[in-house]
Amino acid sequence: MKVAVLGGGHGCYAAAADLSEQGHEVRLWRRDTAQLQPLLDRPVITLKDERGEREVAIARVCADIGQAIAGADLVLIPSPAIAQRDIARVMAPHLSDGQVVFLPPGTFGSFLMSEIVREHGNTADVSWAETGTLPWLARKHGDTVINITTRATRLPTGVYPARNTDHALQVISKVFPSVERCEDALSGALMNAGPIIHPPLILMNAGPLEHFPAWDIHNEGTQPSVRAVTTQLDNERMRVREALGYGAPHFPLSDHYENDQWMYGDRSSHAKLVKSGDWREKIDLQEHRYMREDTMLGLAFLASVADWAQVDAPVTRGLLAVAGAIVGQDLRRGERTLGALGLDGLSRAQMQELLANGRA
């Protein structure tokens, strides 16, 4: 299958290498041409995983996004949600009928990016899909080296508009057989694990993160008190899903630590993450994606949906308030809230119609 991978982060390089090795024709694009230059010079990524280390050739490395998207069956954007606005603007002229855009995960970027593409005059019938996590736990070990610690085994996915779900999942499943159907894009967005696991970890470890040169929030930072807060936050997420009529499984985050039912399957995935050492890092509480993506966008989005659905979510709102104090902003009015997206005034019926059929 022809797959365009857009972005230059850990997930994007993991996607390019992993999918190329599986036999797909991968076109890799990233905005920063200077950072892309090593791969433009030699389109090969060194892939490291449990099978060892080997070089994987990439079919095409592109400085031009149009070259990457043209003729692609699947447009894969495993980039942080903070990049979605810019990527949507530059990809807008190049999308065509029938293409599927997959955001793993999305933070309701499926709706946002669709709106931006339409605002730029492209009304192609594109399917936008999003899931709850990156398909890989991965970190770069250099300009052209990616280390994959583990791969997702379940990818609950919602599609916008939902009328395109069969087509979108048929395309995505040829690349990710672990994809599972969600009711719509909002259901898929409410599977996002990042806003559940990362805000408590960074906020409750703020002191060590600012004091030590490196700190592993998934190892010494994951203590019983932190887990208790994460569990309550996740319970609020699941109550929102239930209030909106979305069915199980809700993929409780506790499964990630306790059994093999979560998105990464093997219950040892957390131990593998810690053992790799790749997540022992310096986290800048102002700039790291755990704050800017998972908290300022993802947690704010969850809080706004809870408000709209009239679900009491005190832990969500409390964590958002603490994060807002750290960054000096009122995150209740963040750019990824339903209010900012112009959706908070919709009734349940109007929201369901929009999610099902998109803009008229």
Side-chain angles (χ1 to χ4, degrees):
M1 179 173 286
K2 296 178 181 177
V3 181
V5 177
L6 308 184
H10 306 294
C12 299
Y13 277 44
D18 210 28
L19 301 185
S20 293
E21 188 173 56
Q22 293 174 28
H24 299 289
E25 180 187 314
V26 171
R27 300 94 167 269
L28 174 64
W29 169 88
R30 68 179 297 181
R31 291 174 293 175
D32 190 330
T33 304
Q35 293 293 321
L36 186 63
Q37 195 61 51
L39 285 177
L40 288 169
D41 294 338
R42 183 172 183 263
V44 173
I45 293 177
T46 299
L47 172 60
K48 299 163 64 176
D49 61 12
E50 73 283 353
R51 293 169 47 202
E53 181 176 324
R54 64 269 189 200
E55 292 189 338
V56 179
I58 311 302
R60 186 183 301 177
V61 177
C62 308
D64 182 340
I65 195 171
Q67 293 179 355
I69 293 176
D73 304 293
L74 180 67
V75 179
L76 180 64
I77 310 179
S79 294
I82 55 178
Q84 289 170 352
R85 286 185 179 275
D86 288 342
I87 293 176
R89 293 186 188 104
V90 295
M91 74 190 296
H94 307 289
L95 292 169
S96 58
D97 286 341
Q99 286 187 309
V100 177
V101 181
F102 188 32
L103 311 175
T107 318
F108 210 43
S110 53
F111 175 78
L112 172 74
M113 296 185 78
S114 174
E115 291 289 284
I116 292 172
V117 168
R118 285 177 59 86
E119 289 167 3
H120 281 72
N122 188 338
T123 58
D125 187 11
V126 175
S127 303
W128 302 82
E130 59 181 276
T131 188
T133 189
L134 268 174
W136 311 269
L137 288 177
R139 282 291 187 270
K140 290 181 183 177
H141 284 184
D143 290 339
T144 61
V145 181
I146 189 70
N147 182 56
I148 296 178
T149 299
T150 193
R151 295 165 174 83
T153 58
R154 303 181 70 183
L155 292 172
T157 299
V159 177
Y160 178 76
R163 58 176 168 78
N164 289 350
T165 297
D166 288 344
H167 166 67
L169 295 190
Q170 182 181 33
V171 171
I172 296 169
S173 66
K174 292 178 181 178
V175 179
F176 299 102
S178 55
V179 70
E180 299 182 22
R181 179 185 295 259
C182 288
E183 295 89 340
D184 54 40
L186 181 54
S187 176
L190 291 171
M191 291 294 192
N192 193 349
I196 305 303
I197 190 170
H198 294 139
L201 284 176
I202 62 169
L203 297 175
M204 297 180 73
N205 285 280
L209 288 174
E210 292 187 329
H211 177 73
F212 294 109
W215 184 260
D216 189 341
I217 57 173
H218 297 285
N219 186 17
E220 53 264 58
T222 302
Q223 299 299 327
S225 59
V226 180
R227 282 284 310 279
V229 171
T230 302
T231 297
Q232 291 304 314
L233 176 61
D234 202 33
N235 287 342
E236 292 177 0
R237 175 190 69 88
M238 291 187 285
R239 285 200 295 271
V240 170
R241 286 184 51 81
E242 291 169 348
L244 295 177
Y246 295 133
H250 300 302
F251 288 83
L253 186 60
S254 58
D255 287 350
H256 173 55
Y257 302 98
E258 297 169 3
N259 58 54
D260 61 358
Q261 299 303 303
W262 202 65
M263 299 180 206
Y264 288 115
D266 187 351
R267 64 182 298 176
S268 68
S269 60
H270 180 75
K272 291 178 181 177
L273 180 153
V274 171
K275 184 179 179 180
S276 73
D278 281 349
W279 279 261
R280 182 170 297 281
E281 57 186 334
K282 181 63 177 178
I283 292 179
D284 183 332
L285 287 175
Q286 298 287 331
E287 298 298 330
H288 197 276
R289 74 171 187 85
Y290 292 166
M291 177 65 83
R292 300 190 64 82
E293 176 183 23
D294 294 324
T295 306
M296 297 173 69
L297 297 186
L299 193 64
F301 172 74
L302 175 60
S304 74
V305 177
D307 286 343
W308 178 75
Q310 297 183 318
V311 174
D312 189 28
V315 176
T316 303
R317 296 188 185 95
L319 289 169
L320 196 64
V322 171
I326 291 174
V327 300
Q329 298 180 38
D330 183 354
L331 300 183
R332 296 171 300 175
R333 295 174 175 82
E335 65 177 71
R336 198 58 67 93
T337 61
L338 289 186
L341 296 172
L343 301 177
D344 59 335
L346 297 184
S347 67
R348 294 280 186 94
Q350 289 171 326
M351 180 71 84
Q352 289 172 350
E353 171 63 21
L354 174 65
L355 293 170
N357 295 307
R359 293 292 190 191

